[in-house]
Amino acid sequence: MKLNLNSFVYLIKEGFKSIWNNWIISLATTVVLICCLVLTGSTVLLSNSANKILDKIKSQNTITAYLTKDFHEEDYKKIEKKINDIPNVTNVEFCSKDQQIEKYSSKIGKDFVDVLKENNPLRDSYIIKVKDLNKYDETADTIYALQGVEPPLINTKDTVKKVSNFINIICTIKILLIVAFAFLALFIISNTIKITMYGRRLEISIMKSVGATNLFIRVPFIVEGIVIGVISSLISLGVLKILSDIILNLLRKMLQLMPISFEGVDTAMVVCFVLAGFFSGFIGGVISIRKYLHKEGGEVVAL
Amino acid sequence: MIEFKNICKKYSNEISAVRNISFSVDKGEFVFIVGPSGAGKSTILKLITCEETPTSGKLTVNNVDIFSLKRRQIPYFRRTMGIVFQDFRLIDKMTVFDNVAFAMHVTGASQKAIRARVPYVLDLVDLKNKAKALPTELSGGEQQRVGLARALVNNPDLLVADEPTGNIDPSLSFEIIKLLAKINSCGTTVLIVTHEHNLVKKFKKRVIAIDSGRVISDMNLEVLKNEA
């Protein structure tokens, strides 16, 4: 079953030649595979970005408590003490509404900040760090139950829950898509190779009659599958990179006030895509040729 | 070289193509297998090339017991013989040279060996000047000579031809058999399945007649001619 170097080089060339000779089928397969991969890749990117956002929210392990109105300095101290007395609280930091406005000065401009300061719509708040994240909800409820304190409009607790739910849905879609893609890719590649093989069944029957081993017959078809798979994965990575750059730029512009970063195409994704293309091509090639390897001479031509 | 001992071949539909056949072919012999359509001639060739396995009996080809041959050994076994088909089985998109070289690629031959051997074999079948032509540009007789060159290129000990003149002009049939006789004179055993009695009569070689899967006669016309 061994192949020598002469045969190996010859068969690799034959694999490439076959792609060229059947370029319409090869092109159609590549386009369909690219669509599958882009769809799956988009879901993976969305899921990765959502995970990153959730991690960021979770890693902050802080509770923001807004004060319902402006208080006297003594009242501030009383509220701060009450918060400090809650068991899970490790640190309480006061953040005045002016300080909050300052945080946005780089984004909205100093002049605008000065205007806002005159009639500041924000409210004073406490940034409270908690020790145990598992008791996050309980601690937040205790804080918000205090008189003069209320949760932010965008509640971190609710945000974590919503993002978590969103991520779960995306992950489910991602897994379903990856499984569906794997089957679809195998189906498409193996069908392409079946069509190529049908066109080359005479060649296969001649190969068998002159003493070609099964490996010798298989290699060009496997090469064809792998090349189509890898080319499709590389093109789809390029498409994903362009699409994600466009979408991320739009999102960054739209959400520039929010401290959120999004995931683009990274090295791990490139490796995964190329491997997926390689193996779907390889397995597709192996599966589709089995029928022909078990037939002999005239039977191959008659298939 | 070839030994059939009580060989039977039954297909899955219970049809017996070959019934208790026994004969042997020695190294360097030239043998015609003749008989009407459906007599079992092609099945005999398929048994020799291991396309089919006998149902019972003992079959030895090129000193290999077919029953003991493992599936993965069949390709290597086939490299010891050349096969010529009635329908030529040439690849239309390949040139004459490439069609012949194809059989050498299968065995893992180097480019150097291919460049040396293929022109030699094409010269042998008188097609050296057609090396760059495509099969569709050739006549039936020329196409069959390409098939013959492909069968010969790996220098086989045994050459089997299944109705090699079936698809060509009768006037060219004689040339093909003459070529096969020339190859045989160089020491290659030749086994031809045909139903063209005129050719058989002309060449006066050993003839095995088959009918309904049985050998009905086995005579050497060459010997008979010499005796006469």
Side-chain angles (χ1 to χ4, degrees):
Chain A
M1 289 290 276
K2 283 177 188 169
L3 283 179
N4 65 20
L5 188 66
N6 293 324
S7 300
F8 190 70
V9 172
Y10 171 76
L11 294 174
I12 299 280
K13 277 186 196 166
E14 285 299 302
F16 278 95
K17 253 195 231 172
S18 176
I19 295 173
W20 181 248
N21 290 336
N22 304 294
W23 69 271
I24 296 178
I25 299 166
S26 306
L27 183 70
T29 309
T30 308
V31 170
V32 178
L33 277 179
I34 289 169
C35 293
C36 290
L37 280 164
V38 168
L39 195 65
T40 313
S42 310
T43 323
V44 171
L45 284 181
L46 190 65
S47 160
N48 287 352
S49 295
N51 269 324
K52 205 172 175 186
I53 294 166
L54 186 69
D55 286 346
K56 194 173 175 91
I57 294 166
K58 277 183 178 170
S59 69
Q60 285 172 342
N61 68 347
T62 56
I63 297 168
T64 307
Y66 284 95
L67 298 176
T68 49
K69 55 177 182 178
D70 293 344
F71 289 103
H72 290 293
E73 204 171 322
E74 283 174 15
D75 296 326
Y76 284 128
K77 280 181 182 169
K78 274 182 196 168
I79 294 168
E80 194 172 326
K81 191 179 178 308
K82 278 180 187 170
I83 296 170
N84 262 322
D85 288 346
I86 297 168
N88 196 29
V89 172
T90 54
N91 183 44
V92 181
E93 194 185 317
F94 180 73
C95 185
S96 73
K97 52 189 179 184
D98 289 341
Q99 282 172 318
Q100 288 176 56
I101 280 283
E102 286 293 343
K103 280 185 188 173
Y104 297 108
S105 64
S106 63
K107 287 174 181 169
I108 60 176
K110 199 161 183 342
D111 294 342
F112 193 49
V113 168
D114 290 341
V115 173
L116 278 178
K117 268 185 182 172
E118 285 168 17
N119 196 8
N120 194 338
L122 301 175
R123 280 179 288 160
D124 296 332
S125 64
Y126 285 108
I127 310 295
I128 304 142
K129 282 217 162 171
V130 292
K131 193 162 68 183
D132 185 359
L133 260 181
N134 291 326
K135 291 178 184 169
Y136 183 96
D137 290 357
E138 195 185 310
T139 313
D141 288 342
T142 314
I143 293 166
Y144 298 141
L146 294 172
Q147 208 177 7
V149 173
E150 64 178 15
L153 275 176
I154 302 169
N155 192 340
T156 314
K157 189 178 86 179
D158 289 345
T159 312
V160 170
K161 206 178 235 172
K162 278 175 189 164
V163 175
S164 283
N165 288 340
F166 178 67
I167 286 172
N168 285 339
I169 294 167
I170 295 289
C171 277
T172 314
I173 294 171
K174 181 175 80 174
I175 292 163
L176 286 175
L177 267 178
I178 289 171
V179 172
F181 162 72
F183 280 105
L184 199 62
L186 279 181
F187 179 74
I188 293 165
I189 289 186
S190 63
N191 268 334
T192 307
I193 293 169
K194 272 181 194 167
I195 294 167
T196 315
M197 261 187 303
Y198 185 78
R200 293 178 65 184
R201 63 198 189 286
L202 174 70
E203 228 169 294
I204 295 172
S205 83
I206 298 165
M207 280 184 184
K208 288 198 148 208
S209 72
V210 294
T213 58
N214 283 350
L215 183 64
F216 186 93
I217 299 169
R218 260 192 185 126
V219 171
F221 297 105
I222 293 175
V223 169
E224 188 180 339
I226 290 173
V227 171
I228 290 177
V230 172
I231 287 176
S232 304
S233 64
L234 291 175
I235 296 174
S236 58
L237 279 168
V239 172
L240 269 176
K241 172 86 183 125
I242 295 165
L243 281 179
S244 64
D245 281 354
I246 294 168
I247 294 169
L248 293 187
N249 279 337
L250 277 174
L251 283 175
R252 279 186 197 117
K253 276 179 193 163
M254 284 163 65
L255 305 170
Q256 58 179 307
L257 291 181
M258 292 178 77
I260 294 172
S261 61
F262 295 95
E263 284 287 298
V265 177
D266 57 9
T267 319
M269 198 169 176
V270 173
V271 173
C272 286
F273 262 54
V274 173
L275 285 179
F278 183 93
F279 282 108
S280 55
F282 179 82
I283 298 166
V286 170
I287 292 172
S288 49
I289 199 164
R290 274 189 309 183
K291 185 172 87 174
Y292 287 85
L293 295 180
H294 291 108
K295 301 284 179 193
E296 290 291 344
E299 285 179 331
V300 178
V301 184
L303 276 171
Chain B
M1 178 119 265
I2 302 172
E3 190 170 18
F4 277 67
K5 257 190 194 169
N6 309 112
I7 290 291
C8 292
K9 173 64 189 172
K10 245 185 197 177
Y11 286 107
S12 51
N13 53 7
E14 290 300 306
I15 290 172
S16 287
V18 169
R19 298 159 200 251
N20 206 29
I21 272 183
S22 295
F23 68 87
S24 63
V25 176
D26 291 334
K27 190 169 168 41
E29 265 198 278
F30 190 110
V31 181
F32 284 110
I33 296 180
V34 297
S37 295
K41 311 184 296 285
S42 293
T43 303
I44 288 174
L45 278 199
K46 283 180 182 172
L47 292 172
I48 292 170
T49 59
C50 253
E51 266 191 53
E52 296 289 349
T53 319
T55 314
S56 63
K58 186 171 172 21
L59 175 58
T60 314
V61 180
N62 286 345
N63 299 321
V64 175
D65 177 8
I66 298 297
F67 281 98
S68 68
L69 204 60
K70 290 187 178 93
R71 202 179 168 84
R72 61 186 162 80
Q73 293 173 319
I74 292 174
Y76 302 98
F77 164 73
R78 285 197 185 133
R79 291 179 194 178
T80 63
M81 61 179 79
I83 308 171
V84 180
F85 304 95
Q86 180 180 358
D87 55 0
F88 320 134
R89 298 218 188 145
L90 302 177
I91 300 161
D92 287 345
K93 58 179 186 270
M94 282 187 188
T95 62
V96 166
F97 184 97
D98 289 339
N99 264 288
V100 178
F102 183 68
M104 286 188 81
H105 282 299
V106 164
T107 61
S110 67
Q111 281 297 333
K112 195 181 164 190
I114 291 169
R115 277 197 295 268
R117 176 77 181 158
V118 175
Y120 170 77
V121 180
L122 285 177
D123 194 26
L124 199 70
V125 297
D126 202 17
L127 281 175
K128 203 171 182 181
N129 55 342
K130 301 265 178 156
K132 287 181 182 170
L134 290 170
T136 47
E137 297 161 0
L138 304 177
S139 69
E142 286 172 327
Q143 288 190 49
Q144 192 55 294
R145 277 191 276 154
V146 179
L148 205 53
R150 185 182 59 200
L152 286 172
V153 78
N154 287 325
N155 205 15
D157 297 326
L158 170 68
L159 199 142
V160 290
D162 189 4
E163 305 271 10
T165 56
N167 274 5
I168 55 177
D169 200 286
S171 59
L172 295 167
S173 299
F174 183 79
E175 295 302 317
I176 293 292
I177 304 297
K178 212 168 124 184
L179 197 54
L180 285 164
K182 185 179 155 191
I183 291 157
N184 173 246
S185 66
C186 298
T188 308
T189 311
V190 176
L191 194 74
I192 302 170
V193 161
T194 185
H195 59 260
E196 290 189 51
H197 289 277
N198 289 339
L199 283 174
V200 176
K201 279 176 196 164
K202 263 183 195 170
F203 280 87
K204 304 213 184 305
K205 300 282 184 183
R206 182 179 168 196
V207 182
I208 299 173
I210 309 283
D211 196 11
S212 305
R214 290 192 175 87
V215 174
I216 54 166
S217 78
D218 183 352
M219 53 186 169
N220 198 329
L221 298 182
E222 206 169 13
V223 175
L224 287 175
K225 185 181 86 176
N226 291 339
E227 281 175 0

